[in-house]
Amino acid sequence: MASIITEHPNHQAWSLATLAEWTQARLIDVAGKANQCVCQGISTDSRSTRPGDCYVAIKGERFDGHAFIAQAIEQGAVALLVSEASDYPVPSLVVEDTRLALGRMARGHRQAQNLASLIAVTGSNGKTTVKTLLAHILQMQAPTWATPGNLNNDFGVPRTLLQIGAEHRYAVIEMGANHVGEIDYLTRLAQPDVALITLAAEAHLEGFGSLQGVIDTKGEIFNGLSDQGVGIINTDSPGFEQWREKLATKKVLTFGRSEQADIRVVGGQTTQKGITFELVVNNELHRVSMSIMGLHNAMNAAAACAACLAIGLSWQQIQPGLESFQGVAGRLQTYQSPQGLLIDDSYNANPSSVKAAIDTLAARPGKTVLCLGAMAELGEETKFAHAQIGIYARQKGVDYVFAYGKDTRATLAAFNADQLQPMTHAEISDQIQLLIDSQQPIDILVKGSRSAQMERVVQSILERNQYARLS
């Protein structure tokens, strides 16, 4: 029953003949309805199927969408995409693998759209922020579609592509991966005009094995570029030289703090309202102020700037979008109280993003608290990586660390915390409340992998205290 796709944003319709061609399917039409059948949308969830949808029966690890075909038809499905042929009362497109067929459908639909540019974004850190920032800038120029939420894997990207409408001029597609070959598959579906890697860092090491595996996999995003496509790479990232060599026959734009970067970040300060820094663009120095926390976001701004320049936007079109951007939920979102800041960076975590968030926290005056949820998918590096975070927090002068998840024992021990055992979400919230109630100035950072659900700590703190949203 997986999660829902979609009612098509522009209510575009597909004929069964078109869908059959895209998916390389065999059409079975017991009731003789195929010629009159027009699909108004694509659904992968029988519970949310709407009248006029084509229902795609996906087989997952814990479910089989074929078991819910009757419900989908009752909800109004006018056609099916299945891997098990039967005498269904509506036309069915039969394929060997419906998940792969969904990808082929998405690729066909993407090719049929009249987009000016499609930008694909990947990276160990920053990809969702860069995606959202790009969408914000581009939407100020023309209708833009961007990956909703975290639909960035081999199931989510096809669903995202299928929602591109005839009204859209730009699309920004986020691509994530936890195993080798996944981004290669996604980029060949999306066929980007611009492909951007924010950074390679130690994340999802269970699936990649090493940082080199991450570098190789992120570089797969360039496999879908056309001969006229543009690759965007970070001069300061591991893998830069490898990616540049891979793009030897393509146009390349670079960003970073290095002197060789085409879009160069210079300086940077944290302010009460966010960050300020300078960007060198076309050999001109421009001052930028953004209402978001974290100086590492200057690099995300440079990446977005590079992508916009690659598709023909001017600095005068880019700058207003940079400076009006309000950030992404769960990523360094800030709240102010009389005692200090609450920094919600709870959406996800890996070692480099946690260190970047600690840098943001350590720049604050007064007492500082790190609430850390365990980092996932680090494989053999799990204990070492968690210990390194404890050492880093201690070196940066963090005053308190509270942690959730068994792997954070190594963090607490390396930090020399008073409490060496991980806590529950409620226990962490209670400890934070004691510090807040003491009336001392205190700034709090909440960070963790998605599986740690550290947003529960954020919610508890907000419910029990009077914080005002800043960014």
Side-chain angles (χ1 to χ4, degrees), residues 26-196:
R26 174 168 58 96
L27 175 62
I28 297 180
D29 183 23
V30 174
K33 300 178 181 179
N35 290 338
Q36 294 78 38
C37 183
V38 175
C39 298
Q40 305 282 344
I42 306 296
S43 172
T44 57
D45 188 333
S46 60
R47 298 165 298 183
S48 56
T49 298
R50 302 181 183 184
D53 279 355
C54 174
Y55 172 68
V56 181
I58 299 289
K59 286 187 177 181
E61 292 181 2
R62 296 184 297 273
F63 64 88
D64 183 352
H66 293 81
F68 305 100
I69 285 174
Q71 181 182 359
I73 293 173
E74 185 177 333
Q75 293 276 103
V78 295
L80 308 171
L81 180 63
V82 296
S83 58
E84 300 172 4
S86 185
D87 294 339
Y88 300 117
V90 297
S92 58
L93 301 169
V94 183
V95 296
E96 184 173 336
D97 186 320
T98 54
R99 198 176 185 112
L100 293 178
L102 181 67
R104 291 193 291 269
M105 187 188 297
R107 181 177 58 206
H109 177 71
R110 183 269 185 267
Q111 291 173 336
Q113 300 311 297
N114 191 32
L115 289 172
S117 297
L118 185 148
I119 302 171
V121 180
T122 194
S124 301
N125 298 331
K127 58 183 175 292
T128 299
T129 298
V130 171
K131 177 240 346 189
T132 310
L133 176 55
L134 275 170
H136 177 72
I137 296 169
L138 296 175
Q139 187 65 44
M140 296 172 73
Q141 314 304 318
T144 300
W145 179 246
T147 301
N150 63 343
L151 295 180
N152 63 10
N153 62 8
D154 65 342
F155 188 41
V157 168
R159 298 158 70 198
T160 299
L161 292 172
L162 282 162
Q163 295 181 76
I164 297 171
E167 74 274 22
H168 294 130
R169 181 166 176 80
Y170 300 113
V172 187
I173 309 299
E174 180 181 335
M175 297 181 182
N178 56 22
H179 61 268
V180 175
E182 188 168 3
I183 290 177
D184 175 77
Y185 171 69
L186 299 178
T187 191
R188 294 181 190 279
L189 300 184
Q191 300 175 352
D193 302 292
V194 176
L196 185 160

Side-chain angles (χ1 to χ4, degrees), residues 204-376:
H204 299 295
L205 293 181
E206 264 182 355
F208 300 135
S210 65
L211 177 58
Q212 184 59 49
V214 176
I215 292 167
D216 294 342
T217 300
K218 299 306 180 186
E220 292 171 2
I221 198 170
F222 302 128
N223 297 351
L225 277 176
S226 66
D227 290 341
Q228 293 74 42
V230 182
I232 312 277
I233 50 178
N234 180 348
T235 58
D236 305 350
S237 173
F240 169 70
E241 295 293 346
Q242 178 176 320
W243 297 331
R244 187 168 63 176
E245 184 176 342
K246 183 169 186 173
L247 289 163
T249 62
K250 301 284 197 303
K251 182 178 179 181
V252 179
L253 278 177
T254 61
F255 68 95
R257 290 188 175 273
S258 166
E259 290 283 345
Q260 65 180 309
D262 296 312
I263 293 82
R264 182 159 58 92
V265 177
V266 179
Q269 289 182 306
T270 297
T271 70
Q272 286 291 345
K273 295 183 178 180
I275 58 173
T276 63
F277 55 93
E278 293 173 319
L279 287 181
V280 178
V281 181
N282 296 326
N283 295 316
E284 295 181 353
L285 189 66
H286 301 279
R287 186 171 180 81
V288 180
S289 297
M290 298 183 73
S291 299
I292 55 177
M293 295 292 291
L295 281 173
H296 61 278
N297 277 311
M299 291 289 282
N300 291 332
C305 181
C308 289
L309 292 171
I311 63 173
L313 269 62
S314 67
W315 172 250
Q316 289 70 30
Q317 292 171 301
I318 297 167
Q319 185 175 16
L322 290 178
E323 299 205 329
S324 60
F325 182 60
Q326 294 296 310
V328 182
R331 288 174 168 84
L332 288 178
Q333 297 288 287
T334 54
Y335 302 83
Q336 180 75 60
S337 80
Q339 273 67 54
L341 286 186
L342 168 62
I343 304 171
D344 175 12
D345 201 23
S346 61
Y347 186 80
N348 216 337
N350 59 46
S352 61
S353 71
V354 174
K355 289 177 181 178
I358 290 173
D359 289 342
T360 300
L361 178 68
R364 300 290 304 169
K367 297 291 186 180
T368 52
V369 184
L370 168 63
C371 302
L372 178 69
M375 299 178 291

